[in-house]
Amino acid sequence: MDKKQEDFFTGIGLVVALVVVGIALPVVFQNIYVMMFGTLLVIFGICGWGIELDKIQDRGYTNIFLGLGFILLGTLFIVPFPNIFTKIFFLITLLIGVFGFISGMMKFFAFKKETESSKTINSEVKNKNRLTSVIGSIVTLTGFFANIFTILAFFMAK
């Protein structure tokens, strides 16, 4: 196994660990500060997942997942502290997040169109890349939505 592949596996392990612990923390402790810390762990996991995927395929994953991370970061602070500064912070993170997400999606679909037209990619490598992308997207989106719902449920219950 080469060094790049070993680094990728280590990075993916760390990313999944961050997302799982980030989701589990608010469930176990049910405290606002622990919930915020858990959400930060999931944000780091989401951003790290995009960075790790871009190490093996430069298809815009970093922009997509950093965009989701910024949107979640803004949501994290606007719900518990609804004042003018957090609203401004939310709008800034929303701007950066949407920009990153949309530019990453555009790069992803442009790359997909190029590879379909070239037809030189080995089908085994293509299936492996597709499986990695699907698993990564499921894990990341699960963490993203779980944190959004945890934040909202925490404040709806009070």
Side-chain angles (χ1 to χ4, degrees), residues 39-48 50 61-77 89-90 93-94 96-98 100-101 140-141 144 147-148:
T39 303
L40 286 174
L41 287 178
V42 171
I43 290 169
F44 285 128
I46 289 171
C47 295
Y61 290 117
T62 299
N63 291 353
I64 294 169
F65 292 108
L66 281 175
L68 290 174
F70 270 96
I71 292 169
L72 186 58
L73 182 67
T75 306
L76 170 67
F77 289 109
F89 179 73
F90 172 72
T93 58
L94 183 66
I96 294 169
V98 170
F101 182 77
T140 302
L141 290 174
F144 179 76
N147 272 293
I148 294 288

PDB file of all heavy atoms in Angstrom, residues 39-48 50 61-77 89-90 93-94 96-98 100-101 140-141 144 147-148:
ATOM      1  N   THR A  39     -21.347  19.771  17.452  1.00  0.00           N
ATOM      2  CA  THR A  39     -21.591  20.325  16.117  1.00  0.00           C
ATOM      3  C   THR A  39     -20.279  20.784  15.478  1.00  0.00           C
ATOM      4  O   THR A  39     -20.063  20.585  14.276  1.00  0.00           O
ATOM      5  CB  THR A  39     -22.590  21.490  16.198  1.00  0.00           C
ATOM      6  OG1 THR A  39     -23.790  21.019  16.797  1.00  0.00           O
ATOM      7  CG2 THR A  39     -22.907  22.034  14.821  1.00  0.00           C
ATOM      8  N   LEU A  40     -19.393  21.373  16.263  1.00  0.00           N
ATOM      9  CA  LEU A  40     -18.081  21.762  15.727  1.00  0.00           C
ATOM     10  C   LEU A  40     -17.295  20.539  15.260  1.00  0.00           C
ATOM     11  O   LEU A  40     -16.614  20.589  14.229  1.00  0.00           O
ATOM     12  CB  LEU A  40     -17.282  22.545  16.771  1.00  0.00           C
ATOM     13  CG  LEU A  40     -17.738  23.979  17.012  1.00  0.00           C
ATOM     14  CD1 LEU A  40     -16.955  24.599  18.170  1.00  0.00           C
ATOM     15  CD2 LEU A  40     -17.554  24.816  15.763  1.00  0.00           C
ATOM     16  N   LEU A  41     -17.381  19.442  16.010  1.00  0.00           N
ATOM     17  CA  LEU A  41     -16.702  18.215  15.578  1.00  0.00           C
ATOM     18  C   LEU A  41     -17.267  17.717  14.254  1.00  0.00           C
ATOM     19  O   LEU A  41     -16.521  17.299  13.365  1.00  0.00           O
ATOM     20  CB  LEU A  41     -16.844  17.123  16.642  1.00  0.00           C
ATOM     21  CG  LEU A  41     -16.024  17.294  17.916  1.00  0.00           C
ATOM     22  CD1 LEU A  41     -16.318  16.153  18.885  1.00  0.00           C
ATOM     23  CD2 LEU A  41     -14.550  17.364  17.614  1.00  0.00           C
ATOM     24  N   VAL A  42     -18.580  17.778  14.099  1.00  0.00           N
ATOM     25  CA  VAL A  42     -19.192  17.345  12.840  1.00  0.00           C
ATOM     26  C   VAL A  42     -18.784  18.288  11.707  1.00  0.00           C
ATOM     27  O   VAL A  42     -18.535  17.846  10.581  1.00  0.00           O
ATOM     28  CB  VAL A  42     -20.724  17.241  12.971  1.00  0.00           C
ATOM     29  CG1 VAL A  42     -21.385  17.013  11.628  1.00  0.00           C
ATOM     30  CG2 VAL A  42     -21.094  16.128  13.927  1.00  0.00           C
ATOM     31  N   ILE A  43     -18.698  19.579  11.988  1.00  0.00           N
ATOM     32  CA  ILE A  43     -18.261  20.533  10.965  1.00  0.00           C
ATOM     33  C   ILE A  43     -16.845  20.188  10.495  1.00  0.00           C
ATOM     34  O   ILE A  43     -16.572  20.140   9.293  1.00  0.00           O
ATOM     35  CB  ILE A  43     -18.330  21.979  11.488  1.00  0.00           C
ATOM     36  CG1 ILE A  43     -19.783  22.407  11.655  1.00  0.00           C
ATOM     37  CG2 ILE A  43     -17.595  22.940  10.553  1.00  0.00           C
ATOM     38  CD1 ILE A  43     -19.959  23.713  12.406  1.00  0.00           C
ATOM     39  N   PHE A  44     -15.942  19.918  11.440  1.00  0.00           N
ATOM     40  CA  PHE A  44     -14.581  19.515  11.063  1.00  0.00           C
ATOM     41  C   PHE A  44     -14.601  18.206  10.279  1.00  0.00           C
ATOM     42  O   PHE A  44     -13.844  18.040   9.312  1.00  0.00           O
ATOM     43  CB  PHE A  44     -13.686  19.379  12.297  1.00  0.00           C
ATOM     44  CG  PHE A  44     -13.269  20.685  12.886  1.00  0.00           C
ATOM     45  CD1 PHE A  44     -13.466  20.935  14.231  1.00  0.00           C
ATOM     46  CD2 PHE A  44     -12.678  21.675  12.122  1.00  0.00           C
ATOM     47  CE1 PHE A  44     -13.086  22.139  14.796  1.00  0.00           C
ATOM     48  CE2 PHE A  44     -12.302  22.884  12.668  1.00  0.00           C
ATOM     49  CZ  PHE A  44     -12.506  23.119  14.010  1.00  0.00           C
ATOM     50  N   GLY A  45     -15.472  17.283  10.672  1.00  0.00           N
ATOM     51  CA  GLY A  45     -15.579  16.021   9.949  1.00  0.00           C
ATOM     52  C   GLY A  45     -16.086  16.205   8.530  1.00  0.00           C
ATOM     53  O   GLY A  45     -15.563  15.611   7.588  1.00  0.00           O
ATOM     54  N   ILE A  46     -17.108  17.042   8.372  1.00  0.00           N
ATOM     55  CA  ILE A  46     -17.654  17.306   7.042  1.00  0.00           C
ATOM     56  C   ILE A  46     -16.603  17.958   6.144  1.00  0.00           C
ATOM     57  O   ILE A  46     -16.389  17.538   5.006  1.00  0.00           O
ATOM     58  CB  ILE A  46     -18.911  18.200   7.141  1.00  0.00           C
ATOM     59  CG1 ILE A  46     -20.076  17.408   7.735  1.00  0.00           C
ATOM     60  CG2 ILE A  46     -19.304  18.765   5.777  1.00  0.00           C
ATOM     61  CD1 ILE A  46     -21.284  18.253   8.074  1.00  0.00           C
ATOM     62  N   CYS A  47     -15.934  18.960   6.666  1.00  0.00           N
ATOM     63  CA  CYS A  47     -14.897  19.642   5.874  1.00  0.00           C
ATOM     64  C   CYS A  47     -13.745  18.687   5.562  1.00  0.00           C
ATOM     65  O   CYS A  47     -13.209  18.686   4.451  1.00  0.00           O
ATOM     66  CB  CYS A  47     -14.406  20.876   6.616  1.00  0.00           C
ATOM     67  SG  CYS A  47     -15.663  22.146   6.812  1.00  0.00           S
ATOM     68  N   GLY A  48     -13.363  17.887   6.538  1.00  0.00           N
ATOM     69  CA  GLY A  48     -12.283  16.924   6.329  1.00  0.00           C
ATOM     70  C   GLY A  48     -12.634  15.872   5.300  1.00  0.00           C
ATOM     71  O   GLY A  48     -11.774  15.418   4.536  1.00  0.00           O
ATOM     72  N   GLY A  50     -14.491  16.270   2.632  1.00  0.00           N
ATOM     73  CA  GLY A  50     -14.287  16.868   1.313  1.00  0.00           C
ATOM     74  C   GLY A  50     -12.821  16.970   0.941  1.00  0.00           C
ATOM     75  O   GLY A  50     -12.432  16.701  -0.194  1.00  0.00           O
ATOM     76  N   TYR A  61     -14.951  18.390  -4.391  1.00  0.00           N
ATOM     77  CA  TYR A  61     -15.496  17.943  -3.110  1.00  0.00           C
ATOM     78  C   TYR A  61     -15.152  18.904  -1.971  1.00  0.00           C
ATOM     79  O   TYR A  61     -15.970  19.118  -1.079  1.00  0.00           O
ATOM     80  CB  TYR A  61     -14.989  16.546  -2.752  1.00  0.00           C
ATOM     81  CG  TYR A  61     -15.537  15.458  -3.623  1.00  0.00           C
ATOM     82  CD1 TYR A  61     -14.694  14.699  -4.426  1.00  0.00           C
ATOM     83  CD2 TYR A  61     -16.894  15.179  -3.642  1.00  0.00           C
ATOM     84  CE1 TYR A  61     -15.196  13.681  -5.217  1.00  0.00           C
ATOM     85  CE2 TYR A  61     -17.405  14.169  -4.435  1.00  0.00           C
ATOM     86  CZ  TYR A  61     -16.545  13.425  -5.218  1.00  0.00           C
ATOM     87  OH  TYR A  61     -17.045  12.429  -6.007  1.00  0.00           O
ATOM     88  N   THR A  62     -13.961  19.455  -1.987  1.00  0.00           N
ATOM     89  CA  THR A  62     -13.572  20.369  -0.912  1.00  0.00           C
ATOM     90  C   THR A  62     -14.522  21.550  -0.854  1.00  0.00           C
ATOM     91  O   THR A  62     -14.996  21.923   0.219  1.00  0.00           O
ATOM     92  CB  THR A  62     -12.119  20.856  -1.104  1.00  0.00           C
ATOM     93  OG1 THR A  62     -11.248  19.721  -1.080  1.00  0.00           O
ATOM     94  CG2 THR A  62     -11.714  21.810  -0.008  1.00  0.00           C
ATOM     95  N   ASN A  63     -14.829  22.137  -1.985  1.00  0.00           N
ATOM     96  CA  ASN A  63     -15.753  23.274  -2.007  1.00  0.00           C
ATOM     97  C   ASN A  63     -17.144  22.884  -1.531  1.00  0.00           C
ATOM     98  O   ASN A  63     -17.776  23.609  -0.762  1.00  0.00           O
ATOM     99  CB  ASN A  63     -15.854  23.854  -3.417  1.00  0.00           C
ATOM    100  CG  ASN A  63     -14.592  24.542  -3.857  1.00  0.00           C
ATOM    101  OD1 ASN A  63     -13.668  24.714  -3.086  1.00  0.00           O
ATOM    102  ND2 ASN A  63     -14.538  24.919  -5.114  1.00  0.00           N
ATOM    103  N   ILE A  64     -17.620  21.727  -1.954  1.00  0.00           N
ATOM    104  CA  ILE A  64     -18.962  21.286  -1.570  1.00  0.00           C
ATOM    105  C   ILE A  64     -19.045  21.106  -0.064  1.00  0.00           C
ATOM    106  O   ILE A  64     -19.945  21.632   0.600  1.00  0.00           O
ATOM    107  CB  ILE A  64     -19.331  19.970  -2.292  1.00  0.00           C
ATOM    108  CG1 ILE A  64     -19.460  20.197  -3.797  1.00  0.00           C
ATOM    109  CG2 ILE A  64     -20.621  19.381  -1.724  1.00  0.00           C
ATOM    110  CD1 ILE A  64     -19.557  18.928  -4.615  1.00  0.00           C
ATOM    111  N   PHE A  65     -18.116  20.354   0.503  1.00  0.00           N
ATOM    112  CA  PHE A  65     -18.198  20.026   1.920  1.00  0.00           C
ATOM    113  C   PHE A  65     -17.790  21.194   2.818  1.00  0.00           C
ATOM    114  O   PHE A  65     -18.312  21.338   3.924  1.00  0.00           O
ATOM    115  CB  PHE A  65     -17.390  18.765   2.214  1.00  0.00           C
ATOM    116  CG  PHE A  65     -18.008  17.534   1.603  1.00  0.00           C
ATOM    117  CD1 PHE A  65     -17.435  16.916   0.510  1.00  0.00           C
ATOM    118  CD2 PHE A  65     -19.190  17.026   2.101  1.00  0.00           C
ATOM    119  CE1 PHE A  65     -18.012  15.805  -0.066  1.00  0.00           C
ATOM    120  CE2 PHE A  65     -19.783  15.911   1.534  1.00  0.00           C
ATOM    121  CZ  PHE A  65     -19.198  15.297   0.447  1.00  0.00           C
ATOM    122  N   LEU A  66     -16.877  22.044   2.368  1.00  0.00           N
ATOM    123  CA  LEU A  66     -16.590  23.254   3.137  1.00  0.00           C
ATOM    124  C   LEU A  66     -17.804  24.176   3.130  1.00  0.00           C
ATOM    125  O   LEU A  66     -18.096  24.831   4.133  1.00  0.00           O
ATOM    126  CB  LEU A  66     -15.361  23.979   2.579  1.00  0.00           C
ATOM    127  CG  LEU A  66     -14.008  23.405   2.958  1.00  0.00           C
ATOM    128  CD1 LEU A  66     -12.890  24.146   2.222  1.00  0.00           C
ATOM    129  CD2 LEU A  66     -13.771  23.466   4.439  1.00  0.00           C
ATOM    130  N   GLY A  67     -18.508  24.231   2.005  1.00  0.00           N
ATOM    131  CA  GLY A  67     -19.738  25.030   1.947  1.00  0.00           C
ATOM    132  C   GLY A  67     -20.776  24.532   2.936  1.00  0.00           C
ATOM    133  O   GLY A  67     -21.380  25.317   3.675  1.00  0.00           O
ATOM    134  N   LEU A  68     -20.970  23.219   3.005  1.00  0.00           N
ATOM    135  CA  LEU A  68     -21.902  22.657   3.981  1.00  0.00           C
ATOM    136  C   LEU A  68     -21.441  22.943   5.409  1.00  0.00           C
ATOM    137  O   LEU A  68     -22.252  23.235   6.286  1.00  0.00           O
ATOM    138  CB  LEU A  68     -22.048  21.145   3.770  1.00  0.00           C
ATOM    139  CG  LEU A  68     -22.777  20.708   2.513  1.00  0.00           C
ATOM    140  CD1 LEU A  68     -22.719  19.188   2.362  1.00  0.00           C
ATOM    141  CD2 LEU A  68     -24.207  21.186   2.521  1.00  0.00           C
ATOM    142  N   GLY A  69     -20.137  22.861   5.627  1.00  0.00           N
ATOM    143  CA  GLY A  69     -19.590  23.155   6.957  1.00  0.00           C
ATOM    144  C   GLY A  69     -19.830  24.595   7.370  1.00  0.00           C
ATOM    145  O   GLY A  69     -20.202  24.869   8.521  1.00  0.00           O
ATOM    146  N   PHE A  70     -19.659  25.533   6.463  1.00  0.00           N
ATOM    147  CA  PHE A  70     -19.896  26.941   6.776  1.00  0.00           C
ATOM    148  C   PHE A  70     -21.377  27.213   7.056  1.00  0.00           C
ATOM    149  O   PHE A  70     -21.715  27.993   7.948  1.00  0.00           O
ATOM    150  CB  PHE A  70     -19.399  27.854   5.651  1.00  0.00           C
ATOM    151  CG  PHE A  70     -17.974  28.268   5.813  1.00  0.00           C
ATOM    152  CD1 PHE A  70     -16.950  27.588   5.175  1.00  0.00           C
ATOM    153  CD2 PHE A  70     -17.642  29.344   6.620  1.00  0.00           C
ATOM    154  CE1 PHE A  70     -15.637  27.965   5.325  1.00  0.00           C
ATOM    155  CE2 PHE A  70     -16.335  29.735   6.784  1.00  0.00           C
ATOM    156  CZ  PHE A  70     -15.318  29.044   6.137  1.00  0.00           C
ATOM    157  N   ILE A  71     -22.256  26.575   6.302  1.00  0.00           N
ATOM    158  CA  ILE A  71     -23.694  26.754   6.556  1.00  0.00           C
ATOM    159  C   ILE A  71     -24.051  26.219   7.939  1.00  0.00           C
ATOM    160  O   ILE A  71     -24.775  26.866   8.699  1.00  0.00           O
ATOM    161  CB  ILE A  71     -24.524  26.065   5.453  1.00  0.00           C
ATOM    162  CG1 ILE A  71     -24.334  26.792   4.118  1.00  0.00           C
ATOM    163  CG2 ILE A  71     -25.997  26.025   5.832  1.00  0.00           C
ATOM    164  CD1 ILE A  71     -24.891  26.062   2.916  1.00  0.00           C
ATOM    165  N   LEU A  72     -23.517  25.065   8.284  1.00  0.00           N
ATOM    166  CA  LEU A  72     -23.772  24.487   9.604  1.00  0.00           C
ATOM    167  C   LEU A  72     -23.166  25.350  10.705  1.00  0.00           C
ATOM    168  O   LEU A  72     -23.769  25.521  11.769  1.00  0.00           O
ATOM    169  CB  LEU A  72     -23.214  23.066   9.671  1.00  0.00           C
ATOM    170  CG  LEU A  72     -23.506  22.266  10.927  1.00  0.00           C
ATOM    171  CD1 LEU A  72     -25.001  22.142  11.154  1.00  0.00           C
ATOM    172  CD2 LEU A  72     -22.883  20.886  10.821  1.00  0.00           C
ATOM    173  N   LEU A  73     -22.010  25.931  10.466  1.00  0.00           N
ATOM    174  CA  LEU A  73     -21.372  26.813  11.449  1.00  0.00           C
ATOM    175  C   LEU A  73     -22.245  28.036  11.735  1.00  0.00           C
ATOM    176  O   LEU A  73     -22.431  28.423  12.889  1.00  0.00           O
ATOM    177  CB  LEU A  73     -19.994  27.246  10.951  1.00  0.00           C
ATOM    178  CG  LEU A  73     -19.171  28.125  11.881  1.00  0.00           C
ATOM    179  CD1 LEU A  73     -18.772  27.336  13.128  1.00  0.00           C
ATOM    180  CD2 LEU A  73     -17.934  28.633  11.167  1.00  0.00           C
ATOM    181  N   GLY A  74     -22.795  28.631  10.702  1.00  0.00           N
ATOM    182  CA  GLY A  74     -23.678  29.774  10.901  1.00  0.00           C
ATOM    183  C   GLY A  74     -24.942  29.398  11.653  1.00  0.00           C
ATOM    184  O   GLY A  74     -25.398  30.113  12.546  1.00  0.00           O
ATOM    185  N   THR A  75     -25.490  28.233  11.319  1.00  0.00           N
ATOM    186  CA  THR A  75     -26.691  27.750  12.006  1.00  0.00           C
ATOM    187  C   THR A  75     -26.405  27.470  13.476  1.00  0.00           C
ATOM    188  O   THR A  75     -27.245  27.720  14.328  1.00  0.00           O
ATOM    189  CB  THR A  75     -27.207  26.469  11.326  1.00  0.00           C
ATOM    190  OG1 THR A  75     -27.393  26.742   9.939  1.00  0.00           O
ATOM    191  CG2 THR A  75     -28.512  26.011  11.930  1.00  0.00           C
ATOM    192  N   LEU A  76     -25.222  26.990  13.760  1.00  0.00           N
ATOM    193  CA  LEU A  76     -24.834  26.663  15.134  1.00  0.00           C
ATOM    194  C   LEU A  76     -24.934  27.868  16.050  1.00  0.00           C
ATOM    195  O   LEU A  76     -25.404  27.764  17.178  1.00  0.00           O
ATOM    196  CB  LEU A  76     -23.407  26.107  15.153  1.00  0.00           C
ATOM    197  CG  LEU A  76     -22.740  25.939  16.516  1.00  0.00           C
ATOM    198  CD1 LEU A  76     -23.451  24.858  17.308  1.00  0.00           C
ATOM    199  CD2 LEU A  76     -21.284  25.611  16.342  1.00  0.00           C
ATOM    200  N   PHE A  77     -24.513  29.026  15.594  1.00  0.00           N
ATOM    201  CA  PHE A  77     -24.470  30.193  16.469  1.00  0.00           C
ATOM    202  C   PHE A  77     -25.726  31.058  16.431  1.00  0.00           C
ATOM    203  O   PHE A  77     -25.997  31.793  17.377  1.00  0.00           O
ATOM    204  CB  PHE A  77     -23.246  31.049  16.150  1.00  0.00           C
ATOM    205  CG  PHE A  77     -21.970  30.396  16.567  1.00  0.00           C
ATOM    206  CD1 PHE A  77     -21.088  29.898  15.632  1.00  0.00           C
ATOM    207  CD2 PHE A  77     -21.665  30.256  17.912  1.00  0.00           C
ATOM    208  CE1 PHE A  77     -19.913  29.282  16.024  1.00  0.00           C
ATOM    209  CE2 PHE A  77     -20.501  29.636  18.316  1.00  0.00           C
ATOM    210  CZ  PHE A  77     -19.623  29.147  17.367  1.00  0.00           C
ATOM    211  N   PHE A  89     -23.003  37.262  11.421  1.00  0.00           N
ATOM    212  CA  PHE A  89     -22.106  36.116  11.266  1.00  0.00           C
ATOM    213  C   PHE A  89     -22.786  35.023  10.438  1.00  0.00           C
ATOM    214  O   PHE A  89     -22.169  34.426   9.549  1.00  0.00           O
ATOM    215  CB  PHE A  89     -21.701  35.581  12.647  1.00  0.00           C
ATOM    216  CG  PHE A  89     -20.806  34.381  12.588  1.00  0.00           C
ATOM    217  CD1 PHE A  89     -19.479  34.488  12.216  1.00  0.00           C
ATOM    218  CD2 PHE A  89     -21.308  33.122  12.910  1.00  0.00           C
ATOM    219  CE1 PHE A  89     -18.667  33.375  12.160  1.00  0.00           C
ATOM    220  CE2 PHE A  89     -20.504  32.007  12.859  1.00  0.00           C
ATOM    221  CZ  PHE A  89     -19.173  32.135  12.484  1.00  0.00           C
ATOM    222  N   PHE A  90     -24.068  34.765  10.713  1.00  0.00           N
ATOM    223  CA  PHE A  90     -24.811  33.768   9.955  1.00  0.00           C
ATOM    224  C   PHE A  90     -24.882  34.142   8.485  1.00  0.00           C
ATOM    225  O   PHE A  90     -24.693  33.288   7.607  1.00  0.00           O
ATOM    226  CB  PHE A  90     -26.221  33.597  10.526  1.00  0.00           C
ATOM    227  CG  PHE A  90     -27.105  32.735   9.678  1.00  0.00           C
ATOM    228  CD1 PHE A  90     -26.896  31.370   9.610  1.00  0.00           C
ATOM    229  CD2 PHE A  90     -28.140  33.287   8.936  1.00  0.00           C
ATOM    230  CE1 PHE A  90     -27.706  30.560   8.813  1.00  0.00           C
ATOM    231  CE2 PHE A  90     -28.948  32.487   8.152  1.00  0.00           C
ATOM    232  CZ  PHE A  90     -28.730  31.127   8.088  1.00  0.00           C
ATOM    233  N   THR A  93     -21.459  33.506   6.912  1.00  0.00           N
ATOM    234  CA  THR A  93     -21.188  32.080   6.712  1.00  0.00           C
ATOM    235  C   THR A  93     -22.133  31.472   5.681  1.00  0.00           C
ATOM    236  O   THR A  93     -21.739  30.574   4.941  1.00  0.00           O
ATOM    237  CB  THR A  93     -21.282  31.291   8.039  1.00  0.00           C
ATOM    238  OG1 THR A  93     -22.579  31.467   8.603  1.00  0.00           O
ATOM    239  CG2 THR A  93     -20.205  31.722   9.011  1.00  0.00           C
ATOM    240  N   LEU A  94     -23.364  31.971   5.625  1.00  0.00           N
ATOM    241  CA  LEU A  94     -24.291  31.508   4.599  1.00  0.00           C
ATOM    242  C   LEU A  94     -23.785  31.892   3.211  1.00  0.00           C
ATOM    243  O   LEU A  94     -23.820  31.076   2.280  1.00  0.00           O
ATOM    244  CB  LEU A  94     -25.688  32.086   4.840  1.00  0.00           C
ATOM    245  CG  LEU A  94     -26.786  31.633   3.894  1.00  0.00           C
ATOM    246  CD1 LEU A  94     -27.053  30.145   4.074  1.00  0.00           C
ATOM    247  CD2 LEU A  94     -28.054  32.429   4.132  1.00  0.00           C
ATOM    248  N   ILE A  96     -20.630  32.466   2.271  1.00  0.00           N
ATOM    249  CA  ILE A  96     -19.461  31.643   1.951  1.00  0.00           C
ATOM    250  C   ILE A  96     -19.881  30.197   1.692  1.00  0.00           C
ATOM    251  O   ILE A  96     -19.397  29.558   0.751  1.00  0.00           O
ATOM    252  CB  ILE A  96     -18.432  31.721   3.095  1.00  0.00           C
ATOM    253  CG1 ILE A  96     -17.877  33.144   3.200  1.00  0.00           C
ATOM    254  CG2 ILE A  96     -17.299  30.726   2.887  1.00  0.00           C
ATOM    255  CD1 ILE A  96     -17.058  33.399   4.452  1.00  0.00           C
ATOM    256  N   GLY A  97     -20.808  29.689   2.508  1.00  0.00           N
ATOM    257  CA  GLY A  97     -21.243  28.303   2.368  1.00  0.00           C
ATOM    258  C   GLY A  97     -21.957  28.044   1.060  1.00  0.00           C
ATOM    259  O   GLY A  97     -21.682  27.054   0.370  1.00  0.00           O
ATOM    260  N   VAL A  98     -22.877  28.898   0.702  1.00  0.00           N
ATOM    261  CA  VAL A  98     -23.607  28.717  -0.560  1.00  0.00           C
ATOM    262  C   VAL A  98     -22.667  28.875  -1.746  1.00  0.00           C
ATOM    263  O   VAL A  98     -22.727  28.104  -2.712  1.00  0.00           O
ATOM    264  CB  VAL A  98     -24.809  29.687  -0.646  1.00  0.00           C
ATOM    265  CG1 VAL A  98     -25.422  29.688  -2.033  1.00  0.00           C
ATOM    266  CG2 VAL A  98     -25.845  29.324   0.402  1.00  0.00           C
ATOM    267  N   GLY A 100     -19.409  28.244  -1.808  1.00  0.00           N
ATOM    268  CA  GLY A 100     -18.579  27.042  -1.883  1.00  0.00           C
ATOM    269  C   GLY A 100     -19.363  25.844  -2.394  1.00  0.00           C
ATOM    270  O   GLY A 100     -18.880  25.079  -3.234  1.00  0.00           O
ATOM    271  N   PHE A 101     -20.567  25.664  -1.885  1.00  0.00           N
ATOM    272  CA  PHE A 101     -21.383  24.527  -2.286  1.00  0.00           C
ATOM    273  C   PHE A 101     -21.721  24.586  -3.777  1.00  0.00           C
ATOM    274  O   PHE A 101     -21.553  23.601  -4.502  1.00  0.00           O
ATOM    275  CB  PHE A 101     -22.661  24.471  -1.443  1.00  0.00           C
ATOM    276  CG  PHE A 101     -23.534  23.303  -1.767  1.00  0.00           C
ATOM    277  CD1 PHE A 101     -23.205  22.040  -1.306  1.00  0.00           C
ATOM    278  CD2 PHE A 101     -24.680  23.465  -2.523  1.00  0.00           C
ATOM    279  CE1 PHE A 101     -24.012  20.949  -1.605  1.00  0.00           C
ATOM    280  CE2 PHE A 101     -25.488  22.385  -2.823  1.00  0.00           C
ATOM    281  CZ  PHE A 101     -25.156  21.120  -2.366  1.00  0.00           C
ATOM    282  N   THR A 140     -21.689  12.146   5.333  1.00  0.00           N
ATOM    283  CA  THR A 140     -21.613  13.580   5.566  1.00  0.00           C
ATOM    284  C   THR A 140     -22.985  14.218   5.687  1.00  0.00           C
ATOM    285  O   THR A 140     -23.229  15.015   6.594  1.00  0.00           O
ATOM    286  CB  THR A 140     -20.820  14.251   4.433  1.00  0.00           C
ATOM    287  OG1 THR A 140     -19.524  13.657   4.398  1.00  0.00           O
ATOM    288  CG2 THR A 140     -20.675  15.726   4.659  1.00  0.00           C
ATOM    289  N   LEU A 141     -23.875  13.901   4.791  1.00  0.00           N
ATOM    290  CA  LEU A 141     -25.208  14.488   4.860  1.00  0.00           C
ATOM    291  C   LEU A 141     -25.973  14.022   6.097  1.00  0.00           C
ATOM    292  O   LEU A 141     -26.742  14.789   6.674  1.00  0.00           O
ATOM    293  CB  LEU A 141     -25.995  14.172   3.587  1.00  0.00           C
ATOM    294  CG  LEU A 141     -25.500  14.902   2.339  1.00  0.00           C
ATOM    295  CD1 LEU A 141     -26.248  14.416   1.102  1.00  0.00           C
ATOM    296  CD2 LEU A 141     -25.639  16.401   2.493  1.00  0.00           C
ATOM    297  N   PHE A 144     -24.635  16.171   8.833  1.00  0.00           N
ATOM    298  CA  PHE A 144     -25.092  17.537   8.632  1.00  0.00           C
ATOM    299  C   PHE A 144     -26.535  17.701   9.103  1.00  0.00           C
ATOM    300  O   PHE A 144     -26.855  18.575   9.908  1.00  0.00           O
ATOM    301  CB  PHE A 144     -24.959  17.895   7.143  1.00  0.00           C
ATOM    302  CG  PHE A 144     -25.412  19.274   6.796  1.00  0.00           C
ATOM    303  CD1 PHE A 144     -24.627  20.372   7.100  1.00  0.00           C
ATOM    304  CD2 PHE A 144     -26.619  19.484   6.153  1.00  0.00           C
ATOM    305  CE1 PHE A 144     -25.034  21.651   6.769  1.00  0.00           C
ATOM    306  CE2 PHE A 144     -27.031  20.758   5.817  1.00  0.00           C
ATOM    307  CZ  PHE A 144     -26.237  21.842   6.122  1.00  0.00           C
ATOM    308  N   ASN A 147     -27.148  17.201  12.931  1.00  0.00           N
ATOM    309  CA  ASN A 147     -26.812  18.370  13.738  1.00  0.00           C
ATOM    310  C   ASN A 147     -27.832  19.486  13.584  1.00  0.00           C
ATOM    311  O   ASN A 147     -28.157  20.152  14.566  1.00  0.00           O
ATOM    312  CB  ASN A 147     -25.407  18.876  13.400  1.00  0.00           C
ATOM    313  CG  ASN A 147     -24.387  18.186  14.228  1.00  0.00           C
ATOM    314  OD1 ASN A 147     -24.340  18.370  15.432  1.00  0.00           O
ATOM    315  ND2 ASN A 147     -23.579  17.365  13.600  1.00  0.00           N
ATOM    316  N   ILE A 148     -28.319  19.711  12.415  1.00  0.00           N
ATOM    317  CA  ILE A 148     -29.359  20.726  12.236  1.00  0.00           C
ATOM    318  C   ILE A 148     -30.577  20.372  13.082  1.00  0.00           C
ATOM    319  O   ILE A 148     -31.113  21.197  13.820  1.00  0.00           O
ATOM    320  CB  ILE A 148     -29.756  20.866  10.746  1.00  0.00           C
ATOM    321  CG1 ILE A 148     -28.606  21.418   9.920  1.00  0.00           C
ATOM    322  CG2 ILE A 148     -31.008  21.717  10.592  1.00  0.00           C
ATOM    323  CD1 ILE A 148     -28.288  22.864  10.138  1.00  0.00           C
TER     324      ILE A 148
END
